[in-house]
Amino acid sequence: MQRSNAGDVTYDDPWYDALASGWGESTAAVALPPARPEPGAVPAAADIYLEVQRSAAFQEVRRRYRRFVVPGAVAFLVWYVAYVVTATTVPGLMARPVAGAVNVGMLAGLGQFLTTFLLTWAYVRHARLRRDRAALELRWDTQELARGRGGAS
């Protein structure tokens, strides 16, 4: 927070765009940040996040995520489409009784719920065992870099 010459209070807002100031806003000159960071200065947030994104640790976390999510999503989508297509094209198969009033269609529908819960459980377990620790370390390093303390690479 800074005091201007007029005595009113101004705020250092990184999202403020002086060229887009509209009605009711102060017409005082706004100092623009320097185009290049000074040597020894804390790097900009965008630079920090780009550096983290390019890091091998981040790429490994993303690779582990994709290796689980893509096959899981494809398998579940195929299973769902197969259920819908079978229900619409072969109603006789879905109506075949299994035990009493329970038929194949009912079991397949309950199987949809069961696979949803199993896939959710598997995703959470995979994330906990293979990604959460690495992601937490990346978050910590990113926060350290943003604070200007260097962080571990």
Side-chain angles (χ1 to χ4, degrees):
M1 196 162 31
Q2 300 173 350
R3 291 216 174 260
S4 67
N5 291 341
D8 57 342
V9 177
T10 60
Y11 295 96
D12 293 327
D13 185 2
W15 299 104
Y16 180 76
D17 186 0
L19 299 175
S21 63
W23 179 79
E25 294 186 8
S26 173
T27 58
V30 176
L32 297 175
R36 294 184 184 176
E38 299 172 8
V42 176
D47 296 333
I48 292 170
Y49 288 112
L50 285 173
E51 178 183 337
V52 169
Q53 184 180 10
R54 291 179 187 125
S55 71
F58 182 82
Q59 296 303 321
E60 179 65 19
V61 170
R62 295 297 297 166
R63 186 185 63 79
R64 289 177 182 177
Y65 172 79
R66 287 186 195 113
R67 284 184 63 190
F68 181 85
V69 169
V70 171
V74 168
F76 187 79
L77 187 62
V78 167
W79 162 229
Y80 176 75
V81 169
Y83 170 72
V84 171
V85 168
T86 305
T88 56
T89 59
V90 192
L93 173 68
M94 297 298 258
R96 184 173 294 156
V98 174
V102 178
N103 60 25
V104 173
M106 292 172 116
L107 290 178
L110 290 173
Q112 291 287 318
F113 286 104
L114 179 63
T115 54
T116 301
F117 292 124
L118 287 175
L119 188 60
T120 302
W121 171 80
Y123 175 80
V124 169
R125 183 174 184 275
H126 180 268
R128 186 182 69 242
L129 295 176
R130 295 196 171 79
R131 291 192 327 261
D132 285 352
R133 184 176 309 253
L136 187 60
E137 289 173 5
L138 276 171
R139 178 192 289 173
W140 184 257
D141 289 345
T142 304
Q143 289 175 352
E144 291 295 311
L145 286 170
R147 290 185 188 120
R149 296 184 186 147
S153 293

